[in-house]
Amino acid sequence: LEWCRIGEDCGRHAAPPSQLVLSLFGAINRLMSLAILSSYLAFKIPATRRDVAIGGAAAAVASAFPIPASAGLIFDPIGAYSMGGSSGATNLKPVKSDPLRPNSGITLLREVFDGYLPDGGLLNWYEQHLADDFQAVFEGGKVKLDKQAYLAVTADLLKSFPDFTYTRSGPIAYADSPNIVVWTAVVKGTHSGAPYSPLPGVPPVSAKSPPVACSNDPEKITLNFASGSGLQTISRITVEQKLSGGGGYSGPVGFYLQAGGDASKVPQ
């Protein structure tokens, strides 16, 4: 078993069940290991550090069973199938990539979609983790972008909104399949860079003085990992505007309108 270092917020408790395929004997063996380890830790480690260590053990055992998050597990003591809290909360640290121990699943997504961008840049991260047949879907299927188009849209956003960031509201969790992750995102950025156009043919809007801080309405994100990719390659991202409240701002068009763009020039 691979345990967390005691007291470390490793962010690896969200490993999905599809990553380990065990025989029944192997699963029982893990349960026995957990029981023995928990008994040992209960006597050898102070309470606060004991919780972290036992939690790591529980996550490892939870990952051994091919059960979807929605199956109504008896317990999920450390959120093995979800990561609670909002982006920016003091108890959540930035998740960094590690070439020697690559992240996967929810932990991988938190490198980008949790209020921080990766050290190597967003475009480079997308290049590595978007499938060749990747598709991004907006506005109920009215707008669909392949990988190259999505990269181009992202590049334009970064030129115009240098502090562009994906933040998260509430938990990020596996859905009805270990290959599907859902969460609520709030995309933010300040229009302090180049003039911005969200779509070909739409006249760009120039940055104002002072620059306009843009924040889209909360949006439901459904992300699909490619089968057989070890939860490290993204095949599809679907963005749906949340219906409760907000100003009607979603996707690249939402940023454009908040920055002062002409709504009459945007295709309906």
Side-chain angles (χ1 to χ4, degrees):
L1 292 176
E2 178 181 345
W3 308 108
C4 305
R5 288 187 292 272
I6 294 175
E8 177 184 353
D9 181 12
C10 68
R12 297 181 186 277
H13 294 145
S18 63
Q19 288 183 289
L20 294 174
V21 179
L22 297 176
S23 64
L24 178 59
F25 176 82
I28 294 173
N29 198 24
R30 282 180 176 241
L31 284 172
M32 293 176 64
S33 298
L34 174 61
I36 294 170
L37 180 67
S38 297
S39 299
Y40 174 82
L41 293 175
F43 291 98
K44 296 293 185 181
I45 303 176
T48 54
R49 299 174 68 193
R50 182 193 313 152
D51 293 341
V52 175
I54 293 175
V61 172
S63 68
F65 294 91
I67 304 175
S70 61
L73 296 177
I74 298 175
F75 67 94
D76 186 13
I78 57 163
Y81 288 92
S82 65
M83 292 295 295
S86 300
S87 173
T90 56
N91 62 325
L92 291 181
K93 300 177 181 178
V95 174
K96 301 293 185 180
S97 61
D98 183 347
L100 299 179
R101 299 172 63 190
N103 293 320
S104 62
I106 285 177
T107 308
L108 174 69
L109 300 181
R110 289 189 59 220
E111 293 180 11
V112 167
F113 297 107
D114 215 19
Y116 310 93
L117 293 185
D119 293 336
L122 180 59
L123 287 175
N124 182 58
W125 192 94
Y126 276 152
E127 286 278 9
Q128 293 182 47
H129 296 291
L130 298 185
D132 291 339
D133 59 351
F134 166 83
Q135 188 174 64
V137 181
F138 300 89
E139 299 183 23
K142 294 180 181 178
V143 177
K144 295 182 180 181
L145 304 176
D146 62 17
K147 180 176 180 177
Q148 294 308 313
Y150 188 74
L151 289 173
V153 167
T154 302
D156 287 343
L157 279 166
L158 291 170
K159 290 175 185 176
S160 301
F161 303 85
D163 62 349
F164 176 84
T165 310
Y166 300 102
T167 69
R168 174 164 60 87
S169 174
I172 178 171
Y174 294 102
D176 293 331
S177 163
N179 289 327
I180 301 175
V181 180
V182 296
W183 71 97
T184 298
V186 178
V187 185
K188 299 180 179 181
T190 305
H191 189 200
S192 59
Y196 180 64
S197 171
L199 297 167
V202 176
V205 57
S206 298
K208 306 291 191 297
S209 182
V212 178
C214 302
S215 179
N216 276 351
D217 296 347
E219 298 167 301
K220 177 183 177 182
I221 309 296
T222 302
L223 182 144
N224 298 71
F225 283 107
S227 298
S229 69
L231 301 185
Q232 292 182 325
T233 302
I234 300 167
S235 61
R236 182 183 178 96
I237 294 177
T238 303
V239 180
E240 303 173 67
Q241 184 178 352
K242 304 286 266 186
L243 298 179
S244 57
Y249 300 122
S250 178
V253 172
F255 265 33
Y256 174 74
L257 296 177
Q258 291 176 76
D262 187 346
S264 68
K265 303 297 184 180
V266 178
Q268 300 299 317

